[in-house]
Amino acid sequence: MPRLLVVHHSPTPLVRTLTDAVVAGAHDDAIEGVEVVVRDALEATADDVLAADGYLLGTTANFGYMSGALKHFLDTIFLDAGGALSDDGSGTLGSGGRKPYGLWVHGRYDTTGAVRSVVSIVQALPWRRAADVLEVLGEVGEAERERAHELGATLAALLA
């Protein structure tokens, strides 16, 4: 059975609302045959990544960057998950299989730097972005929850 790994850092009620909607979308009744595994970013491991067929990442935008928890996760799994480095030690475009991933980011004022920071690392993994990034500023209303649900359902449906 294909496995979708959801890795998130959800330290506030607003971000937790988005995370819950993403997970609910991944568990949508219309999608069968996908195992959904949810891990806090500080608990997820390289074994979780290697056992998965697709990924959903969620983070806050903190001072123009992803959360420290998600950065720790990516640092921890990068090489084991097939991350590619150039001769100078910087990330380079990953090769090999291209497993699908999606990303959601919540910020108070701006999410640009957080999105850029995640994408710059993930592009060096053997993953491919399979859905538009969900960027949410400020309050999380019904429209944002629906978009988060759709993101989770999209990734799960790609694996079904």
Side-chain angles (χ1 to χ4, degrees):
M1 176 179 301
R3 179 178 292 174
L4 177 60
L5 177 63
V6 180
V7 177
H8 67 94
H9 180 63
S10 305
T12 67
L14 289 176
V15 181
R16 188 70 213 186
T17 298
L18 286 174
T19 300
D20 290 346
V22 167
V23 171
H27 283 111
D28 191 289
D29 290 340
I31 303 165
E32 296 180 3
V34 176
E35 178 185 6
V36 179
V37 176
V38 181
R39 297 279 190 264
D40 182 272
L42 293 175
E43 296 173 0
T45 67
D47 287 340
D48 292 323
V49 172
L50 294 172
D53 302 292
Y55 313 95
L56 280 163
L57 305 175
T59 185
T60 53
N62 296 339
F63 307 107
Y65 203 73
M66 75 181 94
S67 71
L70 191 65
K71 177 66 165 76
H72 173 77
F73 162 73
L74 292 170
D75 286 346
T76 302
I77 63 96
F78 185 81
L79 293 176
D80 289 334
L85 296 173
S86 64
D87 290 340
D88 66 2
S90 61
T92 187
L93 292 179
S95 61
R98 306 297 288 167
K99 294 180 180 181
Y101 85 91
L103 170 65
W104 77 96
V105 179
H106 180 271
R108 284 284 177 195
Y109 309 105
D110 185 36
T111 58
T112 306
V115 170
R116 183 175 41 246
S117 66
V118 173
V119 170
S120 69
I121 294 170
V122 172
Q123 74 180 0
L125 291 167
W127 301 359
R128 64 176 170 79
R129 189 169 70 199
D132 290 338
V133 175
L134 173 57
E135 299 179 61
V136 177
L137 293 175
E139 294 300 316
V140 176
E142 185 60 31
E144 292 79 15
R145 286 191 303 275
E146 287 176 10
R147 290 173 43 219
H149 187 279
E150 182 179 324
L151 176 63
T154 297
L155 266 290
L158 287 172
L159 299 180

